[in-house]
Amino acid sequence: MSEDRRTFLQRAAAAGLLATPAAGLLSACVGGGDDDTQDQAEGEKSETNPLGVDAKAPLEVVIFNGGLGTKYATDVHIPSYKKSFPEAEVKFSQAEEIATVLQPRFTSEQPPDMVNNAGSKLMDQGALVQAGQVQDLTDLFNAPSLDIAGKTVKDTLVPGTVEQGTFNGKPYVLNYAFTTFGLWYSDKLFKDNSWTVPKTWTEFTALLDSMKAKGVTPYAYAGANASYYQYLVILTTAAKIGGADVLKNIDNLEDGAWQVDAVKQAAQLWGEIGNKYMLKSHLGLRHTEVQLQQNQYRVGLYPSGSWLENEQAKDTPAGFNYAVMPLPSATASDKLPQTAIYAAAGEMYFVAAKGKNPRGGMEYLRHMLSKEGAKGFTELTKVLTVVQGATEGLTISPGLTSSEAMLKAAGSDYFAYRWDTWYKKMDDECRAATNELMFSGGDANKFVARMQKVADEVKKDPSIEKFKR
């Protein structure tokens, strides 16, 4: 067993990526030697089969069952794949805790072929890439589109999509859902109370005061599993204050990136919101429990991505009408306008490099990235994809309409970060630090110091591969 692989296993075990103790993994690895690759299915390449898929080879797909559900896979993408390869058996399963279900299989190098790595218990994507467990998707992106003539798959995508899933120059992950983030609310509740969307921080706190006076919890998120929604909000405000390079510097583990004034000021502002306008009881709730309270008109504003409307479809009363607003400007001297938003290709899908059918896994992604595949996804989930023009002719929901309007108003002023998928240790720490800030009266100085400490630890750890953008 190589030293690189031994180092990864030790790191992964420590990070919780692998279910069994490091010692057990290392001894198991000795028996297998270095050549772990099993026989992999391969067919002849052709104009209709550019990736060389074995038409009869089984394909295994695992999809996270969360806000987007799984019907898009069972009702759209799997039938599309089967239409091209009718003799191939497609084995489908879903999971709410991806890491719990798939850790043992990646440890034993018997993974499924295509994985939707998402949710609060997702696998450490950076560690998987470092271990050689993730297929390079260059051939997929260079292949012709399934149903958009004259274009490669890459040509059909929203700019930045390939880069969002790139690790040190190679594309390993498809971020499929083009997600916009903001503060979600009921258009009906706003109209009934003559509330308007705030543009400044003063207007924002005045709105929260009005909600509080009406007996509505002004602002809420679920501390049990959704604190990453809130740290996204904090960092969005930081980017508005100091510019998008604030986030790029955090991604690149630049010295002192977490302790710049923009991050500290954003943490201070949001810590005050938590202290004055949130319920402490929400610390122990899950996201769907808090979201249900919003559907009952008990919560005014909820930070989330554009999957929210679909996730709450069964609990949303008629006339509620989801809508979303960008975060208000924090100061009069913000570097980015009030309309600027966090928006990015998200929801990770990857092919297992050591699976039995990586070519089939990439072909499955090609079907997802067809115009029809993307259109079907949006119809079922109310969420945009990274495929350009795929919503043409669709009647879209109130929340998606609002989300598209917010994106249009942002123009080129949208941004994202990637450290949370690169370095799971930082993501875990930020969730805990955010809950402390928002629910326990934590202060901004402690928040940024805590995050700088873990960022420095990651930077200095030679066993963790570093990524840059």
Side-chain angles (χ1 to χ4, degrees):
M1 180 177 60
S2 69
E3 185 60 33
D4 284 348
R5 180 164 167 71
R6 184 183 303 275
T7 300
F8 163 71
L9 291 171
Q10 290 169 335
R11 173 200 166 194
L17 171 64
L18 305 177
T20 50
L25 285 166
L26 295 174
S27 60
C29 186
V30 171
D34 277 338
D35 186 9
D36 304 309
T37 304
Q38 57 189 317
D39 290 336
Q40 295 181 321
E42 184 175 355
E44 285 192 26
K45 292 183 179 180
S46 66
E47 188 174 332
T48 57
N49 186 11
L51 295 172
V53 177
D54 180 343
K56 296 182 180 180
L59 179 74
E60 185 179 2
V61 171
V62 179
I63 300 292
F64 168 64
N65 185 18
L68 300 175
T70 61
K71 283 180 69 64
Y72 68 87
T74 58
D75 293 13
V76 179
H77 299 146
I78 291 174
S80 178
Y81 186 91
K82 286 283 290 180
K83 185 177 180 181
S84 293
F85 304 100
E87 294 182 78
E89 176 193 0
V90 179
K91 181 182 178 182
F92 165 80
S93 61
Q94 62 187 39
E96 293 183 4
E97 296 183 356
I98 289 294
T100 303
V101 173
L102 294 185
Q103 280 169 356
R105 296 188 57 185
F106 276 90
T107 302
S108 61
E109 296 188 351
Q110 295 294 322
D113 300 302
M114 201 292 297
V115 177
N116 170 205
N117 189 25
S120 60
K121 292 192 176 180
L122 76 171
M123 292 181 289
D124 184 336
Q125 194 69 54
L128 287 168
V129 170
Q130 183 177 346
Q133 295 273 16
V134 186
Q135 178 73 27
D136 180 343
L137 299 180
T138 299
D139 288 347
L140 164 69
F141 292 124
N142 289 336
S145 165
L146 188 73
D147 59 2
I148 303 176
K151 291 190 175 184
T152 64
V153 170
K154 182 168 56 179
D155 293 336
T156 68
L157 306 180
V158 172
T161 299
V162 176
E163 290 74 13
Q164 191 72 14
T166 294
F167 293 71
N168 287 346
K170 290 186 178 181
Y172 288 103
V173 176
L174 167 64
N175 290 276
Y176 182 64
F178 191 81
T179 307
T180 56
F181 291 84
L183 303 181
W184 289 80
Y185 62 98
S186 162
D187 186 55
K188 179 182 186 301
L189 184 65
F190 267 54
K191 286 178 177 174
D192 287 350
N193 290 281
S194 300
W195 292 331
T196 57
V197 171
K199 296 186 186 307
T200 68
W201 204 263
T202 299
E203 292 172 354
F204 178 50
T205 55
L207 171 64
L208 299 182
D209 285 333
S210 296
M211 290 177 170
K212 197 172 185 178
K214 289 279 188 178
V216 175
T217 300
Y219 187 85
Y221 78 90
N225 70 331
S227 46
Y228 69 97
Y229 297 2
Q230 182 57 33
Y231 76 58
L232 185 151
V233 170
I234 294 168
L235 291 180
T236 296
T237 294
K240 287 193 173 189
I241 294 171
D245 277 354
V246 168
L247 306 184
K248 184 177 181 180
N249 292 339
I250 289 174
D251 281 349
N252 291 342
L253 301 175
E254 297 289 347
D255 291 342
W258 282 94
Q259 293 180 301
V260 298
D261 287 343
V263 179
K264 192 179 298 184
Q265 192 171 354
Q268 178 67 34
L269 288 169
W270 282 105
E272 291 168 359
I273 297 298
N275 189 51
K276 188 173 181 181
Y277 298 108
M278 288 173 52
L279 294 181
K280 305 295 185 190
S281 60
H282 287 166
L283 175 60
L285 297 187
R286 293 180 59 81
H287 62 299
T288 49
E289 295 172 307
V290 179
Q291 290 162 195
L292 177 61
Q293 290 185 19
Q294 187 177 40
N295 294 146
Q296 297 167 341
Y297 301 104
R298 295 160 56 197
V299 166
L301 297 176
Y302 183 79
S304 187
S306 44
W307 63 78
L308 176 65
E309 184 179 35
N310 183 67
E311 187 167 52
Q312 292 303 110
K314 65 180 177 59
D315 292 315
T316 305
F320 181 90
N321 290 351
Y322 269 111
V324 62
M325 67 176 75
L327 272 61
S329 295
T331 74
S333 57
D334 283 4
K335 288 191 176 180
L336 293 179
Q338 182 267 336
T339 51
I341 60 172
Y342 186 108
E347 197 74 12
M348 297 185 292
Y349 298 78
F350 75 91
V351 175
K354 298 181 180 182
K356 294 179 180 178
N357 191 7
R359 293 172 187 271
M362 287 193 288
E363 178 68 15
Y364 184 87
L365 296 182
R366 194 167 79 104
H367 284 254
M368 288 178 63
L369 291 169
S370 67
K371 193 167 185 179
E372 284 304 305
K375 182 179 178 180
F377 176 90
T378 298
E379 283 180 313
L380 288 172
T381 66
K382 304 179 180 68
V383 171
L384 299 172
T385 71
V386 294
V387 179
Q388 299 183 71
T391 59
E392 292 171 3
L394 285 181
T395 301
I396 57 178
S397 61
L400 183 52
T401 300
S402 179
S403 182
E404 283 199 298
M406 184 174 71
L407 182 60
K408 184 177 180 181
S412 60
D413 290 316
Y414 65 87
F415 48 81
Y417 51 71
R418 296 165 66 185
W419 61 269
D420 58 327
T421 58
W422 287 349
Y423 308 116
K424 191 172 186 298
K425 181 177 180 179
M426 286 172 61
D427 174 49
D428 290 342
E429 185 71 3
C430 200
R431 292 178 188 229
T434 298
N435 277 347
E436 181 183 40
L437 176 72
M438 298 298 293
F439 287 105
S440 302
D443 64 62
N445 287 325
K446 185 174 182 181
F447 174 84
V448 298
R450 185 172 176 179
M451 288 312 302
Q452 191 61 58
K453 181 175 182 290
V454 70
D456 291 343
E457 289 171 357
V458 168
K459 185 174 182 175
K460 293 173 184 175
D461 188 339
S463 72
I464 301 176
E465 185 174 0
K466 310 308 185 295
F467 305 106
K468 277 193 175 288
R469 69 174 176 101

